Structures are given as structure tokens and as C-alpha cells.
């Protein structure tokens, strides 16, 4: 049996088709993901799966030089979209395309709002390409530290925690959206460009320049992406039975001072794998710039950045972040203690295993208030609970680090060493390459040790104000 198709008036059909093609049910993606401390960071309506960055940088004589970039983001829409935002601070946008078609766009602060030629449908995979250029900025954080694109004596250094990556590439700039990366950097001949992941090619190009191409296969949060441009002594080798590639780049002025500590990198990596479980990435290493080039070390993925020669404890700390922070990444910046408490406790464990104070002795000294020489520093660790920093200006303060580590030690006291190491290894394995928050962690601990009572630890040590009672 067959039926004749109903006759639809031509004008009505045209209206229906126009409505469908216009995507009238779509909405803008929205700016910001409502992070409790950085509400403008990130954007709604899509998830980035890959960044392909093609950059060219010419250093300036006394200040930041000129950056030219083409960023192609592959993303998946999480709802019907008529528009979406990227985070980009400063720099001049020259052209934007979505799926190869010119898109309309406008700027407002750090928001680059893009209106594609055709609306995007929920779950659709799309590519957006942004061409841009200019002098990248250095940002001053709420705590007074500097991030973003930092000029160095012979080039530049890009550091992105918490929001500085938007100064050198357009992105969904929040740790909750991780992606893989290809970063290609062209620099004047004689300079080198070091980034995350593995170096896939080094090619001489026209005009006396060299292009370095880096590939990061494992998901990475935007704040962990880095580019270091300058002169470096490069060392390459492999570590352990799995022959993990290591790539270490050191400013020549720091080479002698760094040599002894950096020689411990294989030992530290093997110790951390024993304690924290399999290393989550496909290469490791370090970037050491001059002491005046940055104000802090940062756990940039695959190879942490250090301002000057690191000491052993700092190298242990930043490498521990590869598990806790880089692989298991916070859902929001409120969960910073899951990065810093773990990395700080790694220092305590290293000391305990290498002839220093036990973790218990470090805990006791902090609790009694004689760990630091300055009484103000000893008092500062009780300023706020580690899981509730008082503001964006304080997410890197000592309660997040020291008191965060004390929470882990209290868990260890409660469950014993065997279960404790099961917990920290299992936590890294369960959320490998993903995101997690404090509620996920407390639930995980309770599941791993269902016969133990953690209420006091959560209430007094993790969330409680002031100095808890301790026998």
C-alpha cells in the first residue's frame, strides 16, 4: 500500500526550511562556567577536544616581542548553539572561521564571542580557527604574582596558572575542560622553543627561523600549557625499564647550579611511580629558566618550569603534580588543595624515605607552630580551611599546601600505611586524565575504608575554621 505525499504550499515550506536552517532553538553558549573564584574563566556550550596552535614569536629588545598565532580548536557542542565564547586577553583578532566559513565575532574584555555562519547542533563536532597577533600581556594575579606571557632575558616564558594562558592563545580557559595539543612555535634562528609533550620535529624555515613542533597526546588543562623561548642546554635520555623519554631544557646560566638536583630526576620519578602508581604521561623532564624570569615553579604538564636551579624538594613537589593536578585535575579552583596538599605531602614522604624528618614529625612541628622561623608563617596555616580558600587571592596560600598535606596525614593515621597508599594510588588511577573535586575525594576515601570514621577529619581539618583539637 502506498500513500500520496501531502501538498505543502511553497511559501510555507520555505518558512519551515528557513526556520530549521536558522537553528531557532539554539542559544548562545555563555561566558564563564561560574567558577567560585574565577567566574569569567571558561565558557559554556561546548567541550574542546584538541588545540592546534601555530605560533611565531620575535622577542623584543627590552619588552615583550611580537606574537603571531593561528589557533584551530576542535570541539563538541554540548547543546544547540547560535554563538559561543573563547577566552582571549589582549592581542588583535584578524579572522575567525567555523567549519571553514567566515564567522562574525566581537570582543568584550577577555571574551571573544563567535557567531558561526551556521548554527551548531547538540553533540556536533566542529572546528573554529582564530588568526591573531600582537604583543602578549603579563597578568598580575589577585595575590600579586605574575603570569601569562613573561618576557625573559633572551626570549619568553608562558605560565598559565590560574588564567594566564588566555594571553597567548584563545581557549576554553578552565581546568574542567581538558584537551590534547599540537603546539608549533617558530622563532629566530639560534633560539629554541620548548613546550609540552614530545618534540616531533625541528625544522629550519625561510627567513632564518626555526620551527619546533610539540605534541601532547594526553588531555591537558589550559593552565598547564607552556612555551619557553630562549637559549637552552638540552639533555635527552630515558628512565626506567619502560624507557620513559625525558627532555630537560636548562638556561646555560643555570646549568652548573642545576646539575646535581636535575641528576636526581630519574630517581625521583621511579620513587614517585612506586608510591603514586604508573606515571600518567608519555614523557617527563624540566625547564629551568633564569631566577629573574619568573617568581615561582609551576607544574606545566610533562616538564615543570623552574625559576632558577630547583632544590630537591621543589623537584619532588612539581613532579608529584603530574599525578595530582595534571592528570587528576580539579573541577574548580576551589579544589586547589587536591593539587597542592598532595604535592606537599609528597615532599614529606620523600624526606621520610631519605633520612629526613618523618611525616609525623613535620605534621607535629606545623601543629605546634615551630616549623617556620617566622611566627607569622606558623600562624598563617590556620587562616582558612584548605577546602575553602577565602578568595581568589588566597588559593595558593599555606593552608592549601600545608594544611592540605595535614589532612592527608590525618587520613594516613586513621587507615594505616597499606590502605593509605591504596587510596592515593587508586585516586590517581580512578581519575586518570580526568577532573575531580573535594566531594569526589572524600567519597572515595570513605569507600576505600568503610570501617573508619572520617567525620572529624572532614569537619575539623578539611572544612573547619581555626586550629583543630589534636591529641
Amino acid at each position: 500500500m502506498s500513500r500520496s505525499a501531502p501538498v505543502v504550499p511553497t511559501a510555507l515550506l520555505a518558512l519551515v526550511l528557513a526556520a530549521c536552517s536558522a537553528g531557532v532553538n539554539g542559544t548562545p553558549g555563555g561566558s564563564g562556567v561560574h567558577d567560585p573564584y574565577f567566574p569569567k574563566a571558561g565558557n559554556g556550550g561546548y567541550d574542546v577536544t584538541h588545540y592546534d596552535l601555530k605560533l611565531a614569536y620575535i622577542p623584543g629588545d627590552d619588552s615583550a616581542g611580537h606574537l603571531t598565532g593561528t589557533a584551530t580548536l576542535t570541539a563538541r557542542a554540548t547543546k544547540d548553539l547560535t554563538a559561543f565564547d573563547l577566552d582571549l586577553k589582549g592581542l588583535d583578532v584578524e579572522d575567525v572561521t567555523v567549519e571553514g566559513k567566515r564567522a562574525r565575532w566581537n570582543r568584550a574584555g577577555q571574551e571573544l564571542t563567535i557567531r558561526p555562519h551556521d548554527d551548531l547542533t547538540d553533540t556536533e563536532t566542529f572546528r573554529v580557527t582564530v588568526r591573531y597577533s600582537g604583543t602578549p600581556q603579563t597578568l598580575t594575579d589577585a595575590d600579586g604574582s605574575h603570569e601569562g606571557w613573561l618576557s625573559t632575558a633572551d626570549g619568553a616564558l608562558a605560565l598559565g596558572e590560574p588564567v594566564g594562558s588566555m594571553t597567548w592563545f584563545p581557549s576554553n580557559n578552565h581546568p574542567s575542560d581538558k584537551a590534547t595539543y599540537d603546539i608549533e612555535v617558530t622563532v629566530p634562528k639560534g633560539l629554541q622553543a620548548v613546550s609540552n609533550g614530545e618534540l616531533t620535529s625541528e625544522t629550519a624555515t625561510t627567513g632564518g627561523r626555526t620551527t619546533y613542533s610539540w605534541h601532547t597526546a594526553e588531555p591537558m588543562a589550559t593552565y598547564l600549557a607552556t612555551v619557553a623561548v630562549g637559549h637552552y642546554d638540552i639533555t635527552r635520555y630515558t628512565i626506567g625499564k619502560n624507557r620513559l623519554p625525558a627532555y630537560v631544557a636548562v638556561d646555560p646560566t643555570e646549568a652548573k647550579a642545576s646539575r646535581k638536583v636535575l641528576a636526581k630526576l630519574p630517581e625521583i620519578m621511579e620513587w614517585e611511580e612506586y608510591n603514586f602508581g604508573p606515571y600518567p604521561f608519555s614523557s617527563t623532564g624540566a625547564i629551568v629558566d633564569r631566577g629573574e624570569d619568573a617568581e615561582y615553579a609551576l607544574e606545566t604538564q610533562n616538564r615543570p618550569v623552574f625559576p632558577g636551579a630547583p632544590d630537591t624538594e621543589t623537584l619532588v613537589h612539581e613532579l608529584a603534580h603530574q599525578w595530582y593536578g595534571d592528570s587528576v585535575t580539579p573541577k574548580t579552583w576551589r579544589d586547589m588543595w587536591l593539587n597542592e596538599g598532595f604535592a606537599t605531602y609528597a615532599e614529606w614522604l620523600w624526606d621520610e624515605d631519605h633520612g629526613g624528618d618523618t611525616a609525623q614529625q613535620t605534621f607535629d612541628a606545623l601543629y605546634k607552630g615551630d616549623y617556620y622561623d617566622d611566627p607569622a608563617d606558623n600562624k598563617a596555616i590556620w587562616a582558612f580551611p584548605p577546602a575553602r580558600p577565602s578568595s581568589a587571592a588566597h588559593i595558593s596560600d599555606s593552608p592549601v599546601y600545608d594544611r592540605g598535606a595535614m589532612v592527608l596525614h590525618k587520613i594516613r593515621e586513621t587507615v594505616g600505611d597499606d590502605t593509605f597508599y591504596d587510596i592515593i594510588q587508586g585516586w590517581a588511577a580512578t581519575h586518570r586524565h580526568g577532573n575531580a573535586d573535594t566531594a569526589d575525594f572524600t567519597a572515595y576515601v570513605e569507600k576505600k575504608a568503610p570501617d573508619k570514621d572520617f567525620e572529624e577529619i572532614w569537619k575539623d581539618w578539611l572544612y573547619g575554621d581555626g586550629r583543630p583539637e589534636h591529641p
Side-chain angles (χ1 to χ4, degrees), residues 94-355:
E94 298 162 7
D95 183 67
V96 179
T97 62
V98 178
E99 285 297 287
K101 297 180 180 180
R102 294 285 296 272
R104 292 179 295 152
W105 54 270
N106 65 279
R107 306 285 299 275
Q110 70 185 53
E111 300 299 327
L112 170 61
T113 302
I114 298 169
R115 293 170 177 81
H117 182 276
D118 301 311
D119 291 352
L120 303 170
T121 59
D122 187 16
T123 74
E124 178 182 352
T125 296
F126 64 95
R127 289 190 305 168
V128 52
T129 299
V130 181
R131 293 193 304 112
Y132 59 98
S133 62
T135 299
Q137 298 181 11
T138 298
L139 303 182
T140 301
D141 291 334
D143 64 0
S145 61
H146 297 94
E147 59 162 331
W149 193 268
L150 311 177
S151 295
T152 64
D154 56 356
L157 178 62
L159 300 179
E161 188 177 55
V163 295
S165 294
M166 64 182 175
T167 65
W168 59 282
F169 68 97
S171 65
N172 195 20
N173 193 29
H174 191 265
S176 60
D177 190 2
K178 300 166 72 171
T180 57
Y181 283 73
D182 282 293
I183 301 178
E184 176 186 289
V185 189
T186 300
V187 293
K189 184 178 180 180
L191 295 179
Q192 293 146 303
V194 184
S195 189
N196 310 89
E198 290 77 59
L199 181 65
T200 58
S201 67
E202 176 183 335
T203 309
T205 61
T206 58
R209 298 184 179 186
T210 307
T211 298
Y212 296 83
S213 299
W214 294 85
H215 176 67
T216 303
E218 298 88 6
M220 179 167 68
T222 51
Y223 81 93
L224 298 170
T226 190
V227 168
V229 176
H231 298 100
Y232 296 100
D233 291 341
I234 306 296
T235 306
R236 304 188 204 194
Y237 54 91
T238 60
I239 295 173
K241 62 182 180 181
N242 295 324
R243 300 186 63 79
L244 177 72
Y247 187 102
V248 178
V250 183
D251 187 288
T253 63
E254 299 290 341
K256 182 177 180 181
S258 300
R259 190 170 296 120
K260 184 176 180 180
V261 169
L262 291 179
K264 297 180 181 180
L265 193 147
E267 177 189 1
I268 293 170
M269 286 293 300
E270 291 183 22
W271 177 86
E272 294 195 347
E273 279 204 282
Y274 178 80
N275 285 282
F276 308 144
Y279 181 65
F281 301 116
S282 49
S283 66
T284 186
I287 300 170
V288 180
D289 252 311
R290 306 182 190 206
E292 63 270 21
D293 290 340
E295 300 156 350
Y296 49 86
L298 185 62
E299 61 270 22
T300 45
Q301 194 158 301
N302 300 99
R303 53 192 52 82
V305 169
F306 301 93
D311 57 28
T312 300
E313 289 72 19
T314 305
L315 186 57
V316 168
H317 182 107
E318 302 304 336
L319 290 174
H321 272 310
Q322 305 302 305
W323 284 261
Y324 309 109
D326 294 14
S327 177
V328 185
T329 304
K331 288 181 180 176
T332 77
W333 288 108
R334 175 180 286 151
D335 305 299
M336 183 79 153
W337 84 275
L338 290 171
N339 294 14
E340 302 303 347
F342 272 86
T344 300
Y345 199 68
E347 295 181 55
W348 298 12
L349 294 175
W350 173 270
D351 286 344
E352 183 172 86
D353 287 350
H354 293 84

Side-chain angles (χ1 to χ4, degrees), residues 428-468:
T430 299
H431 294 282
R432 182 183 176 100
H433 301 317
N435 295 86
D437 60 19
T438 300
D440 294 324
F441 178 71
T442 57
Y444 184 82
V445 171
E446 290 173 358
K447 181 179 179 180
K448 295 290 286 187
D451 59 327
K452 303 296 183 182
D453 183 4
F454 298 97
E455 182 180 358
E456 179 184 337
I457 298 176
W458 307 152
K459 180 171 68 72
D460 296 339
W461 290 88
L462 186 56
Y463 288 106
D465 294 319
R467 182 172 174 266

